[in-house]
Amino acid sequence: MLAADPKDADALLGAIRAEAAHGRHPRIVVPLNDWTVDSANAVNRALGLGGLDATTVTNARNKHAMKEALLAAGVRTPRSRLVESEQELLAAVEELGLPVVIKPYDFGGSGGVVLATTREEALAGLAESKGVIAQYGEAFNILGDKYLVEQMVDSDDEVSVEVLCGAGRARVLAVTEKYLSPRPWFAELAHLVPSHRTGDRELTELAEAACTALGIDRGLAHVEIKFGADGAPWVIEVAARPGGDGIMDQVERAYALNPYALHIGSYLGTDLLDVAAAAVPTRTSAIAFLKAAPGRIEDVLDGKPLPPEVRTINISAKPGDVSQAAKNWSTREGLIELEWDELFGAKTDLPVTTARDLADQIFVMGEAAG
Ligand SMILES: Nc1ncnc2c1ncn2[C@@H]1O[C@H](COP(=O)(O)OP(=O)(O)OP(=O)(O)O)[C@@H](O)[C@H]1O
Ligand SMILES: [Mg+2]
């Protein structure tokens, strides 16, 4: 274990050079989350180990650069404008038309992602988004000085796609069905693998084209795709790392294959695209987040009997905590993981309804918060 800030390439290089004095050298540095894509690949390049090039890292971390690269390659993604001030925001709303989605251009976890259906909501949304960055920006080492205003893809149908990348090619490993919170936020409530849309040709081709458009040439990428009211798929964003939120564990259970082995193997230079393309799911696995009703949590009743499909439960809230409406990753009170021996042929609400039933039993609420 090296003692260094994983977000800081210079600190990592210092720690690695100290190890080199003892004859220990890394073969490759593999990023597992958004906050380390830049630093890991800067270290890889500095040490001559390969890794993603700097432009690709920018394409994957800066949502504005990403949109430009996707559009330039003809990949379907909502039109957007980069804004800083209220004046620029209103001009963007004028140009794009309502509703719009406002988001920081370099954050994640749905933090500060807000829907606006009026000019007033847009102004309030920008202020809210700036507030989220003021709270979390420093801890995550992000600038948050600019915001993206996007045309909205208007439905609640969304998937994320795990794609294994190679030089100029990419292959879909798994499609995950995503469950979203009520609007105006887009918090993730649950993820289920495999989505009933697995194998859909248009979806597969769009996800693979998005990765090659950004120049991602190794490792797993996590592509988020939302369907318009007419069913057409639109790329929301692409991350040059495996999915978070426990999705990799669900992929492993559904496919009996460890996706990190593909990610790391690919960074080490092995071509595993055929392995990804040939993977077949044999069961269904899901993760769903526990959400207490808004208000003060008086008591937490652990030890309730669980339905047979619930394989793990993890409660993070304690008595005295205040629960807020589902807004982003920070407003969760716990999680469950579920497993079924069958594959679902259509979208099932079971992850969300099971989590809701359990949360209602577990969290004893006091008076409602404002
Ligand atoms: N243009 C859009 N139209 C419709 N919905 C959108 C749009 N942009 C974002 N969303 C919704 O908001 C969610 C979060 O947006 P986005 O992925 O850009 O932010 P993020 O903070 O990187 O999210 P996360 O880390 O949770 O994936 C999306 O998954 C989607 O549900
Ligand atoms: Mg996202």
Side-chain angles (χ1 to χ4, degrees):
M1 179 130 129
L2 304 185
D5 178 352
K7 302 189 292 300
D8 181 343
D10 291 332
L12 289 169
L13 278 168
I16 289 169
R17 291 201 168 113
E19 287 297 309
H22 304 290
R24 288 188 283 269
H25 304 277
R27 285 173 65 193
I28 194 80
V29 182
V30 186
L32 299 179
N33 59 38
D34 272 340
W35 326 116
T36 52
V37 169
D38 190 4
S39 55
N41 286 298
V43 169
N44 285 331
R45 291 193 305 273
L47 298 178
L49 301 175
L52 298 175
D53 72 37
T55 309
T56 299
V57 171
T58 303
N59 284 345
R61 286 293 299 127
N62 173 325
K63 293 182 187 194
H64 179 61
M66 182 188 301
K67 296 274 164 167
E68 308 253 282
L70 291 175
L71 290 172
V75 175
R76 199 194 287 127
T77 189
R79 286 207 304 141
S80 64
R81 288 286 169 269
L82 194 61
V83 308
E84 222 174 313
S85 64
E86 292 192 338
Q87 203 182 350
E88 289 168 352
L89 168 71
L90 293 176
V93 166
E94 195 68 35
E95 196 189 335
L96 298 171
L98 290 160
V100 293
V101 175
I102 301 167
K103 59 178 88 168
Y105 77 126
D106 59 352
F107 199 33
S110 306
V113 180
V114 192
L115 164 70
T117 57
T118 64
R119 285 162 54 97
E120 290 68 35
E121 283 176 12
L123 291 168
L126 182 64
E128 175 173 335
S129 200
K130 287 186 173 178
V132 171
I133 294 304
Q135 190 179 353
Y136 295 106
E138 209 176 303
F140 289 93
N141 199 19
I142 58 164
L143 292 172
D145 52 340
K146 297 201 177 66
Y147 296 79
L148 214 55
V149 183
E150 287 182 13
Q151 281 182 327
M152 176 173 184
V153 181
D154 203 350
S155 85
D156 294 320
D157 279 332
E158 184 166 343
V159 293
S160 60
V161 188
E162 303 308 315
V163 183
L164 190 66
C165 301
R169 329 191 280 137
R171 285 289 171 271
V172 167
L173 167 65
V175 183
T176 302
E177 194 68 24
K178 189 190 273 210
Y179 298 77
L180 297 169
S181 69
R183 297 174 184 186
W185 299 289
F186 299 97
E188 293 163 339
L189 297 185
H191 303 279
L192 179 140
V193 187
S195 161
H196 61 281
R197 305 173 218 261
T198 302
D200 179 290
R201 185 109 172 247
E202 198 184 2
L203 174 62
T204 301
E205 286 175 3
L206 184 67
E208 293 173 351
C211 296
T212 43
L214 301 189
I216 305 173
D217 60 2
R218 71 203 63 212
L220 280 176
H222 180 73
V223 183
E224 297 182 326
I225 293 180
K226 197 155 186 171
F227 300 89
D230 61 355
W234 296 76
V235 174
I236 298 295
E237 67 163 343
V238 182
R241 42 87 186 159
D245 259 356
I247 293 174
M248 293 305 97
D249 291 338
Q250 317 317 318
V251 171
E252 179 167 19
R253 286 173 201 140
Y255 285 80
L257 173 156
N258 183 339
Y260 288 114
L262 299 187
H263 185 56
I264 295 166
S266 169
Y267 260 82
L268 283 167
T270 312
D271 184 342
L272 296 164
L273 295 193
D274 290 344
V275 178
V280 179
T282 55
R283 51 217 319 255
T284 301
S285 188
I287 182 169
F289 301 102
L290 296 177
K291 195 73 213 87
R296 203 181 129 83
I297 300 173
E298 294 289 317
D299 204 358
V300 176
L301 305 179
D302 207 347
K304 292 273 174 199
L306 301 173
E309 64 272 21
V310 175
R311 56 170 285 155
T312 56
I313 181 161
N314 185 320
I315 300 170
S316 47
K318 47 187 192 321
D321 287 356
V322 174
S323 165
Q324 296 180 8
K327 282 192 178 184
N328 57 46
W329 88 98
S330 75
T331 53
R332 297 169 177 168
E333 277 78 45
L335 62 86
I336 55 172
E337 289 173 294
L338 309 100
E339 219 170 355
W340 298 267
D341 282 329
E342 65 194 286
L343 300 178
F344 295 98
K347 185 163 185 166
T348 169
D349 278 335
L350 281 172
V352 175
T353 52
T354 309
R356 194 184 301 143
D357 287 350
L358 282 170
D360 285 347
Q361 294 175 46
I362 292 168
F363 301 112
V364 181
M365 303 308 298
E367 60 191 283

